[in-house]
Amino acid sequence: MSTTPSSVIVPGPAVPAKALKDQSRLRLAATWALIMPYWKSEDRKAGLGLLTLVVALNLGIVYINVLLNEWNRVFYNAIEQRDFVSFKALLLRFSWIAACFIVLAISRQYYQMMLQMRWRTWMTGRFMQRWLGHQAYYRIEQTHSTDNPDQRLADDLRQFTDGALSLSMGLLNSVVTLVSFIGILWVVSGPISLALGGSELTIPGYMVWFAIGYAVVGSLITHFVGRPLIGLSFQQEQYEANFRFMLVRLRENSEPVALYRGEATEQAGLRARFERIRENWNQLMRYTRRLTFVNSGYGQFAIIFPLLVAAPRYFSGKLTLGGLMQINSAFGQVQGALSWFVDSYATLVGWKAAANRLIDFQQAIRVAEREDLTHEGPGDIEVVESTDKADNSITITGLGLALPVRGGPGPDDEGVDPLKRPGQRPLVAPFSLSIGPGERWLVNGPSGCGKSVLFRALAGIWPYGHGQITVPHKRMLFLPQRSYLPIGTLADALSYPDAGNAHSREALANVLRQARLGMLIKHLDVFDNWSLRLSPGEQQRLAFARALLQKPDYLFLDEATSALDEETEGAMYRLMVETLPDAAIISIAHRSTVAAFHDRRLHYLPVGDASDESGGGPRDGQLEGGGVSYRVVQDA
């Protein structure tokens, strides 16, 4: 059976011209700040050593080109003079020069690739550490401050380090080549005299000035034609990453899509995402065609340009054939060195787009770090560790919860009510609470009222709101409705966040039996994507088995039994109560059967509701106005 979607998903609006212009900015200072840290890092000695070796090999290649230039002059003079003895000797000499060139070129490529990987390894480690540190990865996803961090870590970092080295080595090679050959070209080209208005103008080293003028004109035209490619390449990477993300998401959710018969809708969505790729690619094609036209014409005309300019002196007898060929070779070297910008522009465009994406990613990480470390972000929920080692309670003081709003806080929020700051929408009125060891709390209320937000705040990953949470030096474990199962062996998934070998096989087998998953014991060493292999109920029971391994002092269950039948749900709760008698258990649940395992209740009520379901009045402060939607009452 097939279905047809009622509406066609079309690509979003085209990127505004201003956004494309912003993405095309050079941002040189920020790019330099991205390059420099590695060369000051703990790996700088090895990196600088490899860089020095690569530079030396580049200089060696330039020296070989100088020898070849001189060889050209002597070789073609020998041909012109029909000197067969010199001809044979020069061929032998060429063989040695060519062999040295090959050895140097291979060595340069090898050690440059080695340096690229060292630099990429260091930058990847640094970005990953900062992305995962202070829950920056979580905060970035909440605020949508950047897209596809996986693509930036995998592709943009590779392109940035590879491009930076290849472009810088190319620039160095061009500078050294220019220095080496400009003197040769100046001497061999000699002066040229031009008649202007009855007087004669003599230009010394005229071929040098022609080479400079030719390269400057070509560079200006190339930049004018090709600059939009930076922004288009930026967008192309973004659209490609979005398309890959949708494909991966479809693969991970293949079963529910199949059950919904959602193939047509998914296909329409994928086609819409690919249409963005195609449209942006069409623009890339147009600008690349113009750039290729400029580059090809520039390169082809450069072949005959020096011969045309030097021909008058050759035909007048002032130049030998060897001298003409030496001028042609030297002009090519000088013009090629001056044309580094033209020749490298396509590579430079892709590299700059990757650099801009990394700069944006780094800025998003910095914002997330600042929110966590200095509370300068859109919220001021402060989570601190208790200084009283005898106090093992979790204490909540004046905690008001909010939801993030895109756009973030204003530039100056000083003195503004924290629950009314720009960048967040107030949700729950401030309340205070103390959760002691061994207590059993049931948290309930309407869907969307902020129950899970409370758990996130207690975990220290939710900054939106206001208040203070004091936590003891005790182990806290949070079991969400959909537990995270890393790709790896079943032992890895069961032991997470510990390593799979952190617990004995006997311990792993024992908790699986206790969680009614004994049939999985034989699969402990099987590598798989277990989130796709286990049913939702099995995944939730695996999370309970994980709790038995971790033995937390505070166990938070966020609808952690929603996929279980009532009998299995009761068995899991009894297992927790009996196996972890001293642990505090705090549960979010809607089923009345869960209430039997708790003796305290935290109930969310809409603002304006005068009582809870049992008829009792509110037990905690109700915020008058303030834009909040819910308040919290406590029942003992």
Side-chain angles (χ1 to χ4, degrees), residues 500-526:
N501 58 3
H503 304 275
S504 66
R505 283 296 184 268
E506 291 76 16
L508 298 180
N510 184 49
V511 296
L512 285 177
R513 279 190 289 267
Q514 289 178 287
R516 300 186 175 185
L517 293 171
M519 67 286 191
L520 295 178
I521 294 176
K522 61 183 178 181
H523 300 296
L524 280 171
D525 294 319
V526 176

Side-chain angles (χ1 to χ4, degrees), residues 143-428:
T143 57
H144 305 280
S145 54
T146 192
D147 64 273
N148 302 301
D150 53 322
Q151 186 262 352
R152 302 190 189 217
L153 286 167
D155 293 338
D156 290 338
L157 274 174
R158 173 187 53 79
Q159 190 171 357
F160 176 78
T161 53
D162 291 1
L165 279 176
S166 61
L167 289 169
S168 60
M169 289 300 104
L171 179 59
L172 173 67
N173 190 73
S174 295
V175 171
V176 176
T177 299
L178 179 62
V179 172
S180 302
F181 282 93
I182 197 168
I184 296 175
L185 183 61
W186 183 281
V187 172
V188 299
S189 63
I192 189 172
S193 298
L194 301 174
L196 294 175
S199 61
E200 189 175 75
L201 175 65
T202 301
I203 304 176
Y206 74 101
M207 292 294 292
V208 173
W209 302 110
F210 275 105
I212 292 174
Y214 190 80
V216 168
V217 172
S219 297
L220 291 175
I221 295 175
T222 298
H223 184 55
F224 176 77
V225 171
R227 184 173 181 177
L229 285 170
I230 299 176
L232 291 171
S233 297
F234 185 107
Q235 292 172 195
Q236 191 69 21
E237 293 293 333
Q238 182 181 36
Y239 294 154
E240 295 281 3
N242 289 340
F243 183 63
R244 287 197 302 269
F245 176 78
M246 283 198 67
L247 291 171
V248 172
R249 182 170 174 79
L250 175 60
R251 186 184 68 187
E252 292 182 344
N253 295 274
S254 56
E255 183 175 340
V257 171
L259 291 173
Y260 276 115
R261 298 293 192 269
E263 294 83 3
T265 301
E266 291 297 321
Q267 187 174 20
L270 289 170
R271 283 180 175 175
R273 291 296 178 97
F274 191 79
E275 182 64 17
R276 294 179 181 177
I277 294 175
R278 189 189 66 81
E279 290 179 354
N280 195 76
W281 186 260
N282 285 340
Q283 295 187 66
L284 275 170
M285 286 168 54
R286 288 193 291 271
Y287 281 101
T288 302
R289 179 178 59 187
R290 299 175 189 176
L291 182 62
T292 303
F293 175 78
V294 172
N295 286 347
S296 298
Y298 179 87
Q300 291 300 311
F301 189 63
I303 297 174
I304 62 170
F305 183 75
L307 296 175
L308 292 176
V309 176
R313 296 191 68 216
Y314 173 74
F315 288 108
S316 66
K318 296 179 180 179
L319 275 178
T320 65
L321 177 61
L324 178 65
M325 299 310 296
Q326 186 179 23
I327 286 178
N328 184 61
S329 174
F331 182 91
Q333 294 289 347
V334 171
Q335 180 267 331
L338 292 171
S339 302
W340 172 85
F341 184 75
V342 175
D343 298 335
S344 304
Y345 199 84
T347 304
L348 189 62
V349 162
W351 176 77
K352 196 66 198 70
N356 285 353
R357 287 177 59 78
L358 288 175
I359 291 168
D360 290 345
F361 185 35
Q362 185 169 254
Q363 289 175 345
I365 292 176
R366 286 174 179 167
V367 171
E369 289 174 336
R370 186 173 68 247
E371 289 178 2
D372 182 64
L373 296 175
T374 65
H375 305 286
E376 294 179 0
D380 284 310
I381 297 179
E382 185 180 10
V383 180
V384 298
E385 290 190 351
S386 175
T387 57
D388 185 359
K389 294 184 178 180
D391 184 7
N392 292 325
S393 300
I394 296 176
T395 304
I396 299 172
T397 306
L399 179 63
L401 300 173
L403 298 176
V405 176
R406 288 193 182 192
D412 186 8
D413 294 329
E414 192 68 28
V416 180
D417 182 348
L419 282 179
K420 298 181 182 179
R421 285 185 178 180
Q424 62 177 347
R425 178 174 67 82
L427 179 64
V428 180

